[in-house]
Amino acid sequence: MSGTTTVPGDSLDAAGATPSGTPLATTGSDPLAALRAAARARTEARAASKAAHAARRALDARPKRSADELRAIVERGQAELHGSGLGAADEATAEQVVAWAVREFGGSIAVACSMADAVLPHVVAQQAPWVDVLFLETGYHFPETTGTRDAVEQQMEVTIVDVLPQLTVAQQDEAHGKDLWSRDPAACCAMRKVEPLTRTLGGYEVWVTGVRRDEAPTRTNTPLVTWDEKNGLVKINPLAGWSFDDLLGYAAQHQVVLNPLLNDGYPSIGCAPCTRRVAPGEDPRAGRWSGLDKTECGLHV
């Protein structure tokens, strides 16, 4: 028997349409019509929510505070969040760190995400919907990383901001020789990561990173909140005290997107030419710039 298909929660007007004006087809003519209508409704609601947050953020916008003012906030934050010391039982949780940042900085927050996973954007977006998530589009990413970026943009209440270098890969090859990453990886990182991020961060008061203390010896003393002298703003690391298992556990509990490479021997994911699989028992970042005297791209040093 043919009948009209309705979308849960929708009511029909006199013309047989949903409140959004979308006519509902009969199951006999198109059994997928209701699913398409529901998908359109979700897309429209998502766009409306994003626009509303952008409008409120514009109304609440204020001039960036001075370095001295921001340093004072860092001092207060360290006293409030670090408890009796790094890694102590009374150190603030990731959620508490984010809540503090939202109170102190409002919409002037940027989340840096390499798209190895989407845990950090998810943690922040729970308290700051449609927060800006900065993705360093180096031009050298694994396809899986680009796919993760696209999935995050479609599935989460965040605003993806692609941070681009001054030169395309082709322009860099022409100016500095092909495959600069193989001859001078520090220079390549400086042009494709550090400079673009520094330029972009100028518009914010705080940036949020996913750096964890268990990732490498160079990150063992990572604080929850600090002053970033190089970029001239506050830097917070809500996940600093987490382990890799904590991250995976959160992702499983909240069904957060993970880069497929994490399950393929890549616990730390950077640009494809400079990242290899890690053998069992190796340092998680051993696959980054393997064989070179380099352990950081320059963003966190």
Side-chain angles (χ1 to χ4, degrees):
M1 178 177 177
S2 176
T4 300
T5 302
T6 60
V7 181
D10 276 346
S11 58
L12 302 181
D13 60 18
T18 66
S20 62
T22 305
L24 293 179
T26 62
T27 55
S29 61
D30 186 353
L32 297 180
L35 294 177
R36 295 192 185 98
R40 284 196 296 272
R42 287 193 297 270
T43 299
E44 291 168 1
R46 179 180 171 85
S49 174
K50 184 175 183 179
H53 276 85
R56 284 196 292 271
R57 179 173 166 181
L59 288 174
D60 295 338
R62 62 181 181 226
K64 184 175 179 179
R65 286 169 285 191
S66 70
D68 287 343
E69 291 175 301
L70 294 176
R71 285 193 188 95
I73 295 174
V74 168
E75 291 179 5
R76 294 200 306 270
Q78 290 174 336
E80 179 179 339
L81 301 173
H82 279 298
S84 54
L86 299 186
D90 58 351
E91 192 176 42
T93 65
E95 291 76 15
Q96 289 169 333
V97 175
V98 173
W100 172 83
V102 172
R103 290 196 307 270
E104 293 286 353
F105 305 104
S108 190
I109 300 173
V111 178
C113 186
S114 66
M115 296 301 167
D117 60 80
V119 168
L120 181 65
H122 188 275
V123 169
V124 178
Q126 299 311 294
Q127 303 184 66
W130 302 109
V131 65
D132 287 354
V133 174
L134 310 185
F135 175 61
L136 297 177
E137 181 48 272
T138 65
Y140 285 117
H141 285 300
F142 289 99
E144 292 87 346
T145 300
T146 303
T148 301
R149 174 237 177 268
D150 294 344
V152 170
E153 185 172 42
Q154 291 297 318
Q155 298 177 18
M156 294 176 58
E157 287 191 342
V158 300
T159 303
I160 299 293
V161 178
D162 289 323
V163 179
L164 303 173
Q166 298 282 11
L167 303 177
T168 66
V169 170
Q171 290 170 334
Q172 180 174 297
D173 286 348
E174 183 177 353
H176 301 279
K178 186 173 176 56
D179 296 340
L180 179 63
W181 52 266
S182 67
R183 293 175 285 105
D184 192 344
C188 189
C189 285
M191 284 189 284
R192 309 208 72 74
K193 291 184 175 182
V194 179
E195 186 282 327
L197 182 64
T198 298
R199 173 172 22 97
T200 304
L201 288 177
Y204 302 91
E205 290 187 332
V206 60
W207 67 304
V208 189
T209 88
V211 172
R212 304 193 319 274
R213 295 168 190 152
D214 75 336
E215 291 179 297
T218 56
R219 300 184 172 188
T220 301
N221 295 317
T222 298
L224 295 178
V225 57
T226 188
W227 172 249
D228 183 347
E229 188 70 46
K230 180 172 64 176
N231 291 304
L233 77 169
V234 181
K235 179 180 180 183
I236 65 172
N237 309 290
L239 311 186
W242 285 24
S243 67
F244 186 57
D245 287 342
D246 290 333
L247 185 142
L248 294 180
Y250 183 96
Q253 179 183 355
H254 298 279
Q255 298 184 322
V256 175
V257 177
L258 292 176
N259 190 317
L261 294 175
L262 288 178
N263 292 319
D264 192 23
Y266 294 88
S268 180
I269 304 168
C271 292
C274 300
T275 308
R276 66 161 173 82
R277 287 182 177 85
V278 172
E282 278 192 298
D283 185 285
R285 288 179 63 83
R288 305 290 293 277
W289 308 286
S290 182
L292 300 172
D293 185 22
K294 181 176 172 62
T295 56
E296 297 281 354
C297 62
L299 297 177
H300 303 294
V301 295

